[in-house]
Amino acid sequence: MLRRIGSVGSISEAARGAGISYKAAWQAIETLGNLAGTPLVEKAVGGSGGGGAQLTAAGHRLLRAFDLLTAARHAVLTQLDQEQGSNPPALGLAALGLRTSMRNQLPCVVADVSTAGAAVRVELALSDGTRLASRITQESAQLLDLRKGMAVLALCKATAVKIFEVEAATHANNVLRGRVVRVSGDAGAAEVSLQLSCGLSMVGFAGDDGGLKVGQDCVAQVDDSAVVIALAG
């Protein structure tokens, strides 16, 4: 979006060129500005259209930094792929640079994207085919340009994940089967780590029943609105 604004000198034109709404474009600009700690876009006075938008010096520096980091990342991953094939996968390596308070970070592939009222429902597939759904805004889906087959990361806080015995699980969406590998804390408020059927780990908190044991088969349940989608790099 910043690159388009710098090229055409207009937020509305940049949004049209990217195939997103003006609102989504502004949200992206505001989010980037918040992360950078300084404005990246400013109003441009004059011109044939009576005004527009242009990048600030900080905006130009950010684009330059992005280009340099992208080139360096591509070179590193290409070299590793040549040396070791695709194990570990490039997405997993790129995700190592992501620092967040969200304990659960699961590499997935977009299986389906559909509109659900005012929101967008994204079906994600783990490596063993297990499905995990995320419900996001239409603006977020536009900005991420989500497409079937795209590699992404599914993120969610441990506090949003409820761990139940298999028999106590509901029939709601986002119920993932696994085996308990660690339990800490008091019964009724215990933090539980599961090894999912795909081999990944998921951390959550036990339901009111508590008393879960290491080695026990359980399920993890998380609301689709609590699943965040991230793109590496």
Side-chain angles (χ1 to χ4, degrees):
M1 180 53 60
L2 290 181
R3 198 181 306 280
R4 288 180 181 273
I5 292 173
S7 176
V8 302
S10 165
I11 296 174
S12 58
E13 286 293 330
R16 277 193 289 270
I20 65 176
S21 67
Y22 183 80
K23 177 184 176 183
W26 256 119
Q27 287 181 343
I29 293 168
E30 290 174 345
T31 299
L32 288 172
N34 288 342
L35 292 172
T38 186
L40 303 175
V41 176
E42 62 186 2
K43 292 182 179 180
V45 180
S48 59
Q54 63 185 16
L55 299 185
T56 63
H60 284 291
R61 286 196 301 272
L62 182 63
L63 278 183
R64 175 61 175 160
F66 174 80
D67 290 340
L68 291 173
L69 289 171
T70 298
R73 173 180 177 273
H74 177 74
V76 169
L77 294 179
T78 298
Q79 181 175 344
L80 288 175
D81 282 343
Q82 292 173 347
E83 293 176 355
Q84 303 178 13
S86 58
N87 188 25
L91 177 65
L93 289 171
L96 294 177
L98 184 67
R99 300 182 67 184
T100 171
S101 64
M102 295 191 185
R103 300 274 299 281
N104 298 302
Q105 303 179 25
L106 310 175
C108 301
V109 172
V110 176
D112 186 54
V113 181
S114 60
T115 301
V120 172
R121 180 179 175 82
V122 184
E123 288 280 345
L124 305 171
L126 298 174
S127 60
D128 66 343
T130 299
R131 295 298 180 95
L132 180 66
S134 174
R135 180 159 47 91
I136 61 177
T137 65
Q138 294 184 12
E139 288 79 16
S140 293
Q142 290 177 352
L143 291 172
L144 292 176
D145 191 23
L146 295 174
R147 301 181 304 276
K148 188 174 181 179
M150 179 183 290
V152 300
L153 288 172
L155 312 178
C156 63
K157 297 166 60 177
T159 51
V161 179
K162 304 302 181 185
I163 309 295
F164 299 97
E165 294 182 354
V166 174
E167 296 78 9
T170 69
H171 296 288
N173 293 323
N174 288 352
V175 176
L176 309 178
R177 298 183 68 91
R179 179 164 295 177
V180 177
V181 295
R182 181 178 56 82
V183 180
S184 60
D186 299 327
E191 181 180 293
V192 181
S193 179
L194 292 185
Q195 183 177 43
L196 302 178
S197 58
C198 63
L200 297 176
S201 296
M202 192 167 209
V203 180
F205 285 83
D208 294 336
D209 54 334
L212 300 180
K213 306 296 184 183
V214 172
Q216 183 177 351
D217 289 332
C218 291
V219 295
Q221 186 173 343
V222 56
D223 189 81
D224 57 6
S225 64
V227 178
V228 175
I229 297 175
L231 303 182

